[in-house]
Amino acid sequence: MALRLSCPNCGSRPFTEFWFGGELRPLYREGMSPEEDYRRLWLPENAAGRQTERWFHHAGCRRWLTAERDTVTNEIHVVH
Amino acid sequence: MIGLLRKQVHLRTNDLKPHYDVVIIGGGGHGLAAAYYLARVHGVRDVAVLERSYIGAGGTGRNTTIVRSNYKTPETIAFYKKSHQMFLELGQELDYNMLVTPRGLLWLAHSDNQLRLQRERAALNQAFDVETVFLDAAGVREVCPQLDMTGGGGKHPILGAAWHPKGCITRHDAVVWGYAAASQRLGVHVHQGIEVTGISTEGGRCVGVTTTAGPIAAGVVMSAVGGYVSNVARMAKIRLPIITHPLQAYVTESYKPAFDRVVASADLHIYISQSARGEFLIGAEIDPYTSYANASTWPFIASASARAIDLLPFLAKLRILRAWTGACDMSPDYSPVMGTTELKNFYVSTGWGTWGFKAIPASGLSMAELLATGKVPALIAPFRADRFRDDRAISERASAGTH
């Protein structure tokens, strides 16, 4: 079964309309040490379960969305 | 004759001991090979391999069985060259028929950019004594006359290719069974159906594991877990530079042997071979989002088939028999992650993404040396887990992105 995302602007659409932006990671903060920045950038959580992640609706509203998805079942809980 | 019909039992069952010198998590090719070389090369025989399912249930049983060494960086070419050589002698080494079948591998170019990249690949391979030559369109047609040189009526014209004549296909299950049986003959315990539920630490070092069958103490622990490695890393309270993507593949029904090449295209993200059973095997790139769900999807099969038919029009008449999906431990630079971790006495062999099967012998040999001696072998030193901290990525996306 192909994944579908419920875009808040465009409704339910197949994942092929979206680009996956990966898990949501902490943003760079002023004064972060190189070590903290390395861990933030290169060492993801890679959750097996609920993950907060980014998608870009390139074939629709062309906006970045944040979704909560279970990576084991692919069930999408929230898109905002 | 009777011998042929005799029931073949590949694995003995052993009673789980409360202590082993070495515990290896994950009974795929990488874990079993490390166990085998620990016993055979280093005389370390008090080794347990713990597999939560059946041996080879993960990537080793789900890959597309191609063995090649035409990579694009000096570090990886040296590593895969070693592994490729070991594969050719593996049947002899393990006394198990691996059905290694030389096919020759074509990496097609459909654009000026790919022509340049494939020329570069051939030159770089030759510099490291790996046989890869650049062929122009006429040369490609000679090596593989079934190809539609127009690439589906001019959509993806075939302009040239990097030709790797030593590329093989082999029997992936035999690699698992061969290593498991041979390591058992040397005294290694292979435990199926035992899941690791925790990593035990004491004073900042790893001292064993807890499992669904009780705790096991160990001198050193190695994770040879693929797509699910982040779960093991969480147990060890470390982080790894890994994300898990699904990779899909499928085969057609069996047809008579008629296609004796492996054809790959980086522009089309696809590769095609015919298995020993006569099935046409088609694989592609990873799914575009991370997931642990081993789901095969219609958009993938539809788009991969369209691209495959553009290259080999006769495939349009064949029927798809079965599809499957595996979880790939993708590293940021498409190169493996092998070696020590932030937890003392806890080692990893991961980041095998879509390029792990062909690496099994060399990875097993190298990890065994690391576990036995505590010293990182030069062959795998560049693949350390923390290489991104000091910007030492080994970019292999162009050559490992599909298979």
Side-chain angles (χ1 to χ4, degrees), chain A residues 32-49:
Chain A
M32 220 177 210
S33 71
E35 179 64 20
E36 284 172 313
D37 196 30
Y38 155 71
R39 301 187 79 85
R40 173 188 77 89
L41 265 177
W42 294 103
L43 305 180
E45 173 74 22
N46 195 25

Side-chain angles (χ1 to χ4, degrees), chain A residues 4 10 13 20 33 44 51 80:
Chain A
R4 289 185 78 88
C10 313
R13 299 295 180 93
F20 181 61
S33 71
Q51 170 168 286
H80 48 86

Side-chain angles (χ1 to χ4, degrees), chain B residues 62-65 172 248-255 271-283 296 300-301 305 315 318-325:
Chain B
R62 292 166 193 263
N63 67 85
T64 49
T65 80
H172 52 350
Q248 306 190 41
Y250 60 98
V251 288
T252 67
E253 292 178 340
S254 290
Y255 297 89
Y271 57 100
I272 305 151
S273 66
Q274 189 176 18
S275 75
R277 281 194 289 233
E279 304 149 325
F280 280 81
L281 197 169
I282 296 170
S296 295
F300 164 76
I301 294 179
S305 297
L315 291 174
L318 310 191
R319 288 187 297 193
I320 293 168
L321 177 67
R322 90 198 137 79
W324 68 94
T325 302

Side-chain angles (χ1 to χ4, degrees), chain B residues 99-265:
Chain B
L99 301 178
V100 173
T101 317
R103 284 292 161 91
L105 193 142
L106 276 169
W107 213 294
L108 303 177
H110 310 280
S111 59
D112 284 348
N113 189 39
Q114 276 294 327
L115 275 179
R116 185 179 59 76
L117 285 171
Q118 299 311 330
R119 273 204 188 92
E120 187 185 292
R121 177 199 293 261
L124 195 57
N125 284 187
Q126 284 163 25
F128 288 89
D129 203 20
V130 166
E131 194 184 347
T132 303
V133 289
F134 178 79
L135 299 179
D136 60 12
V140 174
R141 191 200 299 266
E142 200 168 305
V143 167
C144 187
Q146 291 108 322
L147 281 169
D148 175 358
M149 299 302 287
T150 69
K155 266 189 280 178
H156 318 287
I158 297 168
L159 307 174
W163 167 237
H164 183 49
K166 296 255 171 70
C168 315
I169 60 169
T170 178
R171 179 89 178 97
H172 52 350
D173 295 324
V175 174
V176 179
W177 298 330
Y179 272 119
S183 57
Q184 280 205 329
R185 287 198 294 272
L186 297 171
V188 170
H189 284 191
V190 179
H191 297 290
Q192 303 184 87
I194 294 183
E195 183 170 353
V196 170
T197 52
I199 307 286
S200 316
T201 57
E202 225 176 78
R205 55 175 59 214
C206 179
V207 293
V209 295
T210 55
T211 75
T212 48
I216 303 169
V220 295
V221 175
M222 166 183 157
S223 165
V225 176
Y228 304 87
V229 70
S230 295
N231 288 339
V232 177
R234 269 185 280 277
M235 294 175 199
K237 298 191 172 59
I238 59 169
R239 285 275 190 114
L240 293 170
I242 299 294
I243 55 175
T244 299
H245 276 268
L247 180 71
Q248 306 190 41
Y250 60 98
V251 288
T252 67
E253 292 178 340
S254 290
Y255 297 89
K256 73 177 179 183
F259 186 71
D260 57 0
R261 301 285 179 234
V262 178
V263 169
S265 162

Side-chain angles (χ1 to χ4, degrees), chain B residues 291-304:
Chain B
S291 177
Y292 291 86
N294 280 340
S296 295
T297 63
W298 173 252
F300 164 76
I301 294 179
S303 83

